[in-house]
């Protein structure tokens, strides 16, 4: 009987150690990790087509380096809201900026305006890696 109890305790301790290790290994410790809304997926959204990529930085920041094909809508610009209002509310959008902060604020504003499939890909570098889109320069 003592052997059975010892085996049960050993199996339980091993299971607990494995679960703890798996949890620790899967925890994202990066402080600027991209965030998504509950109704969105950062890489593909809920639509079959590719998401529309929006850079919410200033035109100067955009010209210095942006994701190829991205649209520039300056979050701090006077026309941000009017430009966002022209977009299809049923499409999928991925936002990014320098650090993810402005993209997070823009995401909230877009959700408040009725957009359901919007995600924050974080910084230019994070968005490039996540979406597998190269960074280019200029004002395309």
């Amino acid at each position: 009987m003592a052997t059975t109890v010892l085996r049960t305790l050993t199996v339980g301790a091993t299971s607990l150690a494995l679960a703890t290790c798996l949890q620790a290994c899967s925890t994202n410790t990066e402080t600027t990790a991209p965030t998504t809304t509950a109704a969105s997926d950062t890489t593909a959204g809920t639509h079959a087509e590719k998401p529309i990529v929006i850079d919410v930085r200033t035109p100067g920041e955009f010209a210095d380096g942006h994701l190829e094909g991205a649209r520039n809508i300056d979050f701090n610009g006077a026309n941000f809201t009017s430009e966002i209002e022209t977009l299809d509310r049923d499409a999928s959008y991925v936002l990014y900026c320098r650090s993810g902060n402005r993209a997070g604020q823009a995401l909230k504003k877009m959700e408040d305006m009725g957009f359901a499939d919007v995600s924050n890909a974080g910084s230019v570098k994070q968005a490039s890696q996540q979406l597998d889109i190269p960074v280019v320069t200029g004002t395309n």
Side-chain angles (χ1 to χ4, degrees), residues 27-67:
T27 301
N28 184 358
T29 58
E30 189 173 332
T31 59
T32 59
T35 58
T36 60
T37 64
S40 66
D41 177 273
T42 307
T43 57
T46 57
H47 299 82
E49 68 275 358
K50 289 184 178 181
I52 297 165
V53 180
I54 301 176
D55 182 324
V56 298
R57 300 174 302 154
T58 65
E61 289 174 300
F62 184 82
D64 287 342
H66 59 275
L67 269 57

Side-chain angles (χ1 to χ4, degrees), residues 51-55 62 66-72 96 133-136 140:
I52 297 165
V53 180
I54 301 176
D55 182 324
F62 184 82
H66 59 275
L67 269 57
E68 186 174 57
R71 179 171 175 182
N72 183 218
Y96 71 90
I133 299 174
V135 175
V136 296
N140 69 344

Side-chain angles (χ1 to χ4, degrees), residues 97-109:
C97 61
R98 183 179 55 82
S99 67
N101 183 25
R102 283 175 282 180
Q105 293 177 62
L107 180 147
K108 173 74 169 106
K109 185 162 184 100

Side-chain angles (χ1 to χ4, degrees), residues 4-14:
T4 303
V5 171
L6 184 58
R7 280 189 193 147
T8 302
L9 289 174
T10 302
V11 169
T14 302

